Amino acid sequence: MVTNIALPRFAKIGAGAADTLGEVIADLGISRPVLVTDRYLVETGQAERLAKTLHAAGSTAAVFSDTVPDPTVESLSAGLELVRAHRADGIIGFGGGSPMDTAKALAVLSANGGDIASYKAPSSYTGPALPIVAVPTTAGSGSEATQFTVITDGETDEKMLCPGLSFLPIAIVVDYELTVSMPARLTADTGVDALTHAIEAYVSRRAGGFSDALALAAMQSISKHLRRAYVDGDDREAREAMMLASTQAGMAFSNSSVALVHGMSRPIGGHFHVAHGLSNAMLLPAVTRFSVESAIGRYADCARAMGIVGAAVADRDAASELVTELERLCADVEVPTPRSYGIDEKDWEARLPTMAEQALASGSPQNNPRVPTHDEIVALYREIY
């Protein structure tokens, strides 16, 4: 069996790596990049800092900062106009998952045209695209290392998963110092998101030896450092470990897949505007409990990698302890339920059939160890509410 592996061409990783962005762009032969970011990073001066490194290296850079959380088809229009007006020859995604997703979509649409909906799964796009360079500011999405983007259809509230090699950044600049200012809530949500990536990559029906090694390494590190980063945002050792683990987990699921948690998470975000990492965290313990009997050995490996149990513990017991630890972790970092988050129960209930349909249509649940039915997904949504 041949395994296909897709990774960025190269990476700069470590404290101060962001200051090398100008050199990276120059080395790639990009002279007119568009820096895609958000207003927060503009207001805090971080976008200007990167723009200065680009100009110092000889680039003529433009900045697009009107990205929105959970980018929509409509939100891409202004960015696409800027990319074309600037005659850009490269795109830089700077920020969390939303600027990254926006950057990837702009890179493909500006080079190939069309509607982003035509790129959604199960299609896989490998055609023309502007080169993408990714500079993450959160330790969670792993988007810098993946061949996916997620864009919301504003008319249907569907979060469209768009896969393919053309969405994969060619270079990444991973600087954990950019995450030190993250508030505790964002630290928790993105951290559990990264853990979800690692676990789902490992238990996926599409897992392989290459992705397994990355996923297990990420799990081990996240288990040791997430609570520390949540409690003390200035814990640089924990921040550095979480940033690396996030990238490893991104590489893992990009070369394996995500599964049921992500399939169910996207509709929550699309319909109720819950941040992606948080909706994953709401789901992770319950979906793991639902799935565990179908891959006891794999889930037991996760428990051992996370240091929850020793090597001598039987698989069934280890897998059970994993579910308990995930519940405990989400409690420790104060993950809300949909109810406590403020979602109206009647509104939640009314949307469940559509949400279940959208979850299944994404293809992700089919990668799960236990493939759910429509009714089982509805029951899981009710369970977590």
Side-chain angles (χ1 to χ4, degrees), residues 86-105:
H86 186 62
R87 304 192 313 279
D89 57 357
I91 306 290
I92 302 167
F94 176 48
S98 295
M100 293 284 186
D101 283 340
T102 300
K104 292 178 177 185

Side-chain angles (χ1 to χ4, degrees), residues 214-236:
L214 289 163
L216 291 170
M219 282 181 239
Q220 180 182 42
S221 189
I222 294 167
S223 180
K224 290 168 67 173
H225 297 101
L226 175 53
R227 287 180 175 91
R228 283 173 52 183
Y230 176 71
V231 171
D232 179 9
D234 291 324
D235 185 333
R236 293 172 66 85

Side-chain angles (χ1 to χ4, degrees), residues 46-117:
Q46 294 286 8
E48 182 182 4
R49 172 191 169 193
L50 290 199
K52 286 181 177 178
T53 71
L54 293 169
H55 292 307
S59 296
T60 302
V63 176
F64 177 70
S65 61
D66 289 335
T67 61
V68 298
D70 298 321
T72 64
V73 173
E74 184 180 7
S75 73
L76 300 176
S77 298
L80 196 55
E81 288 179 11
L82 176 61
V83 170
R84 289 171 173 163
H86 186 62
R87 304 192 313 279
D89 57 357
I91 306 290
I92 302 167
F94 176 48
S98 295
M100 293 284 186
D101 283 340
T102 300
K104 292 178 177 185
L106 294 180
V108 167
L109 292 176
S110 62
N112 196 57
D115 188 315
I116 193 67

Side-chain angles (χ1 to χ4, degrees), residues 1 4 35 42 58 139 145 154 201 230 266 279 333 354 371 373:
M1 176 179 169
N4 295 320
L35 181 71
V42 170
Y230 176 71
R266 295 185 200 103
S279 57
V333 299
T354 298
V371 178
T373 64

